[in-house]
Amino acid sequence: MSMNRHRDARVRKGRGATFDPHNRFAPSVSEAVDDGWWQEAVPERLATEVRDERTRSALSWNTSPDLPFDRSLNPYRGCEHGCIYCYARPSHAYWDLSPGLDFETQLIARTGLVERLREELCKPGYVCRPINLSGNTDCYQPLEAERGTTRAILALLLECRHPVTLVTKSALILRDLDLLRALAEQRLVRVMVSLTSLDSDLKRALEPRAASPEARLKVIRTLGAAGVPVGTLAAPVIPGLTDHELEGLLEAAREAGAATAGWMLLRLPREVAPLFAAWLEAHYPERAGKVMSLIRQCRGGLDYDPRFGHRMRGRGVFADLLEQRFRRACRQLGLNSPDSPAAMRLDTTAFRPPHAQGELFS
């Protein structure tokens, strides 16, 4: 049974979502009602729980024209960063969990992932193209410090000279600087560090357990100094809340050493729309109406437009203005130069299938 749990505000401390919406796949809904009977006190904090899931297949494939990659790999389901806007939240419903607080607190770690990836890379006819890490949730979320799955994946990809792209908002990526530097020396890696806001107070509410803006700029600076191609992803741009920072985000990233940049408009698929609206009312009630109005102006009057070609950028006057501002800022800052090493294609010609697991001791 799925529960629509509107929890006590104390429980939500350090979390992004303000409630757990109903799981759309569950046949019934349970609502908590105060019937006057004594109830045990609600704990002040909501603990994170992790369960293991044996991996059946490693790579996920897509044919979306909106994405620059056709395969991705996600070590974890759910994300403790708790970003309220995360477009991956609805996927948690497939595991009979809510896209709300469950997405941040009921995490799933995929075990045997490296072994499955090794097997898939060894398949006859496998064609090497860059694998994207963090296509759904952040591969460097706090759980990675304990499990180390992302590091093991990078080690395997380095072993077989397979290119990889990463997107993260975590400073934990610097733990793997040795592997990233080795991959970069063979033109096998590109990293994008996402920046949403330089306002620390807004960041804490918007992305409660993600790295601070200063820490993310340090990641860009450190990776760049180590020779790792690094750029920034200004995402999501939230009309009426963070859009005024667009040029500042790009300038800060460029000063830190980013060579490339991209941007994406806020996406509110399925349960993310009511979760985000509730978050606005809780944290920025004076702006809530304006923000939602601007979002709908960019989405043809809807909270979200899922069509290819529209979902990443939106449409209309406001969305067009954001695109013009982004392009102008990139020109002025020298971002996305075709001559930059960070803009070069990753090498797919050096790939060699890894040794099968059974061959390690042969």
Side-chain angles (χ1 to χ4, degrees), residues 104-119:
E104 309 169 34
T105 62
Q106 304 292 316
L107 308 181
I108 299 172
R110 303 178 66 196
T111 62
L113 185 59
V114 179
E115 292 78 9
R116 295 291 81 73
L117 178 60
R118 181 181 292 273
E119 292 173 0

Side-chain angles (χ1 to χ4, degrees), residues 224-236:
V228 179
V230 61
T232 191
L233 190 60

Side-chain angles (χ1 to χ4, degrees), residues 25-321:
F25 298 110
S28 58
V29 185
S30 177
E31 284 284 352
V33 178
D34 184 2
D35 56 6
W37 287 81
W38 175 86
Q39 294 182 342
E40 187 176 344
V42 178
E44 291 195 1
R45 288 186 180 273
L46 194 60
T48 300
E49 298 179 13
V50 183
R51 72 188 193 199
D52 291 339
E53 175 195 74
R54 189 66 184 172
T55 302
R56 295 183 179 179
S57 61
L59 294 173
S60 298
W61 301 81
N62 78 81
T63 57
S64 169
D66 294 329
L67 299 176
F69 54 87
D70 67 353
R71 65 202 72 183
S72 62
L73 198 155
N74 297 281
Y76 310 108
R77 307 193 193 280
C79 187
E80 198 174 4
H81 282 161
C83 306
I84 188 58
Y85 54 75
C86 184
Y87 61 82
R89 284 181 177 272
S91 65
H92 231 44
Y94 290 104
W95 290 275
D96 198 28
L97 295 167
S98 172
L101 289 165
D102 280 353
F103 179 80
E104 309 169 34
T105 62
Q106 304 292 316
L107 308 181
I108 299 172
R110 303 178 66 196
T111 62
L113 185 59
V114 179
E115 292 78 9
R116 295 291 81 73
L117 178 60
R118 181 181 292 273
E119 292 173 0
E120 292 174 20
L121 296 180
C122 287
K123 287 183 177 179
Y126 176 81
V127 178
C128 177
R129 293 192 185 93
I131 294 173
N132 179 260
L133 279 174
S134 296
N136 206 37
T137 57
D138 200 319
C139 64
Y140 281 108
Q141 61 176 287
L143 182 57
E144 168 62 17
E146 172 190 336
R147 296 300 180 100
T149 305
T150 299
R151 181 173 177 83
I153 291 169
L154 291 178
L156 172 59
L157 297 178
L158 177 60
E159 172 195 331
C160 61
R161 301 176 186 173
H162 195 297
V164 60
T165 58
L166 298 100
V167 181
T168 187
K169 56 179 62 121
S170 172
L172 182 58
I173 190 175
L174 295 182
R175 177 203 63 185
D176 297 337
L177 188 58
D178 57 333
L179 293 174
L180 295 170
R181 184 187 290 113
L183 286 162
E185 289 172 354
Q186 301 182 58
R187 201 155 49 87
L188 295 173
V189 69
R190 181 179 299 117
V191 177
M192 295 294 280
V193 178
S194 71
L195 288 173
T196 311
S197 174
L198 298 177
D199 183 330
S200 295
D201 292 333
L202 174 57
K203 197 281 325 173
R204 278 191 290 270
L206 194 64
E207 308 162 328
R209 298 197 175 196
S212 68
E214 294 78 11
R216 297 185 214 184
L217 292 173
K218 179 182 177 182
V219 167
I220 294 174
R221 191 175 300 111
T222 304
L223 291 176
V228 179
V230 61
T232 191
L233 190 60
V237 175
I238 305 176
L241 191 63
T242 68
D243 66 280
H244 66 284
E245 293 191 68
L246 181 57
E247 290 83 358
L249 290 171
L250 297 173
E251 183 176 5
R254 185 70 184 94
E255 289 179 355
T260 58
W263 77 282
M264 285 192 294
L265 187 68
L266 176 70
R267 297 165 57 187
L268 298 177
R270 294 189 180 274
E271 295 91 345
V272 185
L275 282 166
F276 182 75
W279 178 88
L280 278 174
E281 290 292 348
H283 294 276
Y284 296 93
E286 74 286 354
R287 300 194 202 179
K290 177 184 178 182
V291 171
M292 293 306 298
S293 175
L294 287 172
I295 290 171
R296 289 169 186 140
Q297 288 179 40
C298 296
R299 299 295 187 187
L302 305 174
D303 289 338
Y304 184 54
D305 181 354
R307 292 178 299 159
F308 291 151
H310 295 278
R311 58 180 183 155
M312 301 295 191
R313 296 285 193 270
R315 54 180 172 149
V317 175
F318 196 89
D320 290 345
L321 179 59

